[in-house]
Amino acid sequence: MGHAPAPLPIDRAAETFVQSVRGRVIRPGDAGYETARRVYNGSIDRQPRLIVQCADVADVVHCVNFAREQGLAPAIRGGGHSVPGFGTWDDGIVIDLGRLKGIRVDPARRVVRVEGGCTWGDVDHATHAFGLATPGGIISTTGVGGLTTGGGFGHLTRRYGMVCDNLLSADVVTAEGALRTASAAENPDLFWAIRGGSGNFGVVTSFEFRLHPVSTVYAGPILYPLAQSAEAMRLFRDFMKTAPRELSAFFAFLIVPPGPPFPEHLHMKTVCGIVCVYCGDPDAGEAVTKPLREAVPPLFALTGPMPYPVVQSMFDGLLPPGLHHYWKADFVNDLTEDVIADHVKYGPRIPTVNSAMHIYPMDGAVQDAGKDDTAFPYRDVRYTHIIAAVSPDPAPMPENRQWVRDYWEALHPKSAGGAYVNFLMEEGEERIARSYRGNYRRLAAIKAKYDPGNLFRVNQNIKPAP
Ligand SMILES: Cc1cc2nc3c(=O)[nH]c(=O)nc-3n(C[C@H](O)[C@H](O)[C@H](O)COP(=O)(O)OP(=O)(O)OC[C@H]3O[C@@H](n4cnc5c(N)ncnc54)[C@H](O)[C@@H]3O)c2cc1C
């Protein structure tokens, strides 16, 4: 019996691999490497060994097989928005899905099939033509891939559920290089796991989502003076408890951007505000949101009817790629008086016009699913907050990070324990486990079935159960 041939040296194996790929393979020293290795968060500075801009599903299969055979860590890149920078990895192989942009809307069945490299802007554009939409993230440049596999929520979530609740099926390239369908009928354990379990289970090359009739919404920001922040926060809390599900709104501390549509006297002023989106009849939206414009007198309100994709891209200009990000987050059961006091203390210290503290509602249709119906487990809390320091200049980031940490440390003891995985930085195994609550063990068992060698480890990692 002959012995197994010695593994090819990486360079020879890489040449063979490069020839089998239809997309572009970029290596250190190649033209374009410096741009291609970068992701959305400008603070991330990693040097992958290979970057593959996949042209099709076959390329993804080749990448997964090559990574496994060569012991390279694969970094899956959808939209590249992961703030810990999981779309690029030192000495790893980047599986960049950015060229997989196909979208097929089926208006009769009210479903859309979306390839793994699409952003929410791509999806909203395609479905809006048919007067349809599915819940997606609130910045149009965010990727469908990372957001959906982490759970995902946005302006339509109170009415239509988490993004992952609208997922009907997905094509997944798993660690052994097989393409599997994950749905309620096929590989249901995998389907359960990719609805919240992040990129731990394979590369999703396409997603099929349920669509809903959403076209013109009544939406926009309402800004209040800082001196009124406790009152505005109480208004938000009390109002949302009885607001119809068609209404989504988040509370924010922010610095007013220095340009239209904001009036000049407010430019660069720190304020608080509520951004609302009513996805039912726009006239009803005006009436429903009236208390937000009247119960606490606003400095400025820019609410009105607008196409859904307009509100979905309203804040894109503040968050171009390449800025430096540092975030911390938690879920919280209620905006009690002591929680409000912390916000009133730290929120006004927001450091830059790109930074924000947001409180998003997690009620309504989020809670129609049970804690273990999907891997995403937070079906019983009212809010999630995120404290995000964002700056074009790296110099003030140490100070900005300190603002985030001080703010978060004050609030964390009053929180529900874990955080939304898509809002975590690299915060350690215990925090990941806590964020999956009672679902962690089942996730670890499914991980052991589909990825026993933990090939997909560039993520909020779930270790395979022994
Ligand atoms: C400006 C901004 C706004 C945001 N707004 C929202 C929001 O409104 N709602 C919300 O829920 N979240 C939001 N997020 C968080 C967002 O969900 C995460 O950053 C998410 O990781 C982004 O997905 P991506 O595909 O762009 O990321 P990438 O960096 O490309 O991917 C991150 C990780 O996700 C996994 N992944 C990505 N694509 C795939 C795939 N096709 N198959 C399998 N795994 C995959 C991989 O583990 C990958 O490493 C926002 C983030 C930013 C930066």
Side-chain angles (χ1 to χ4, degrees):
M1 203 166 74
H3 60 87
L8 286 170
I10 179 87
D11 289 344
R12 275 226 6 240
E15 290 317 317
T16 314
F17 166 70
V18 168
Q19 282 161 21
S20 61
V21 164
R22 283 219 168 165
R24 186 164 169 224
V25 182
I26 306 171
R27 285 177 276 197
D30 287 351
Y33 178 79
E34 280 307 308
T35 311
R37 74 185 179 87
R38 289 286 179 173
V39 287
Y40 175 80
N41 183 358
S43 296
I44 305 294
D45 181 12
R46 297 195 181 118
Q47 309 269 350
R49 197 178 297 184
L50 286 174
I51 300 160
V52 184
Q53 295 172 339
C54 296
D56 53 23
V57 175
D59 280 358
V60 176
V61 172
H62 284 310
C63 286
V64 168
N65 287 334
F66 183 71
R68 192 187 58 251
E69 287 157 10
Q70 297 296 327
L72 293 173
I76 308 169
R77 189 185 301 172
H81 267 217
S82 152
V83 169
F86 292 140
T88 189
W89 205 245
D90 280 335
D91 293 322
I93 172 172
V94 175
I95 305 180
D96 184 348
L97 305 174
R99 288 172 63 177
L100 303 184
K101 288 280 195 192
I103 299 185
R104 183 174 188 277
V105 184
D106 183 339
R109 286 176 56 230
R110 287 197 176 164
V111 296
V112 60
R113 171 66 70 174
V114 174
E115 283 194 313
C118 290
T119 62
W120 287 105
D122 299 330
V123 178
D124 294 335
H125 170 75
T127 62
H128 185 67
F130 301 93
L132 299 169
T134 195
I138 67 170
I139 299 290
S140 79
T141 52
T142 309
V144 170
L147 186 137
T148 304
T149 53
F153 59 85
H155 295 307
L156 302 182
T157 288
R158 268 189 107 231
R159 173 69 181 86
Y160 295 115
M162 298 288 292
V163 174
C164 69
D165 297 340
N166 287 277
L167 186 66
L168 296 171
S169 90
D171 290 338
V172 189
V173 178
T174 49
E176 83 277 36
L179 181 69
R180 297 173 193 266
T181 298
S183 69
E186 286 178 77
N187 301 304
D189 53 354
L190 182 61
F191 185 53
W192 180 87
I194 60 168
R195 288 176 293 158
S198 196
N200 274 285
F201 301 92
V203 186
V204 181
T205 53
S206 84
F207 299 84
E208 188 180 45
F209 294 104
R210 190 181 293 121
L211 292 170
H212 309 277
V214 176
S215 184
T216 299
V217 295
Y218 185 89
I222 305 167
L223 305 182
Y224 308 93
L226 269 190
Q228 248 65 61
S229 31
E231 286 82 352
M233 213 170 249
R234 285 184 203 116
L235 169 65
F236 172 71
R237 173 191 67 195
D238 299 341
F239 177 79
M240 291 309 284
K241 276 188 180 150
T242 55
R245 286 183 172 200
E246 284 79 4
L247 187 86
S248 180
F250 67 84
F251 185 94
F253 280 102
L254 69 153
I255 295 175
V256 179
F262 300 102
E264 228 174 289
H265 71 277
L266 292 181
H267 289 179
M268 298 308 283
K269 275 216 155 51
T270 303
V271 299
C272 65
I274 296 174
V275 176
C276 57
V277 178
Y278 184 85
C279 67
D281 169 38
D283 290 339
E286 178 166 20
V288 165
T289 54
K290 211 167 162 203
L292 297 177
R293 289 185 300 274
E294 292 186 352
V296 174
L299 288 167
F300 178 68
L302 191 70
T303 48
M306 61 186 77
Y308 175 68
V310 170
V311 68
Q312 281 289 88
S313 49
M314 192 176 257
F315 304 103
D316 287 8
L318 276 176
L319 294 165
L323 305 185
H324 297 264
H325 287 246
Y326 182 78
W327 298 6
K328 276 182 96 63
D330 270 320
F331 288 102
V332 58
N333 284 315
D334 205 357
L335 296 180
T336 53
E337 285 303 313
D338 51 347
V339 169
I340 290 176
D342 289 333
H343 282 296
V344 170
K345 178 172 175 192
Y346 291 99
R349 301 180 194 171
I350 184 165
T352 68
V353 70
N354 316 91
S355 303
M357 191 294 299
H358 288 174
I359 305 172
Y360 301 105
M362 298 300 296
D363 57 354
V366 177
Q367 303 193 359
D368 289 347
K371 283 192 253 194
D372 56 4
D373 286 348
T374 62
F376 175 82
Y378 278 92
R379 305 290 187 166
D380 58 347
V381 293
R382 268 193 182 279
Y383 310 98
T384 178
H385 57 238
I386 179 157
I387 308 154
V390 184
S391 164
D393 178 6
M397 280 309 283
E399 236 172 272
N400 297 349
R401 277 194 277 270
Q402 198 54 48
W403 168 71
V404 173
R405 285 192 205 108
D406 292 346
Y407 199 157
W408 181 84
E409 272 160 25
L411 283 168
H412 183 64
K414 296 144 202 157
S415 77
Y420 171 39
V421 285
N422 277 344
F423 286 171
L424 288 177
M425 303 290 287
E426 289 190 77
E427 298 178 33
E429 280 179 38
E430 205 187 305
R431 180 107 161 113
I432 297 169
R434 217 172 308 138
S435 296
Y436 283 113
R437 304 170 115 186
N439 289 345
Y440 189 82
R441 284 174 67 161
R442 186 167 164 195
L443 280 163
I446 298 171
K447 176 83 172 172
K449 176 174 169 190
Y450 289 99
D451 184 13
N454 202 8
L455 179 69
F456 297 109
R457 56 190 177 276
V458 181
N459 45 41
Q460 301 298 352
N461 196 231
I462 296 162
K463 298 259 179 329

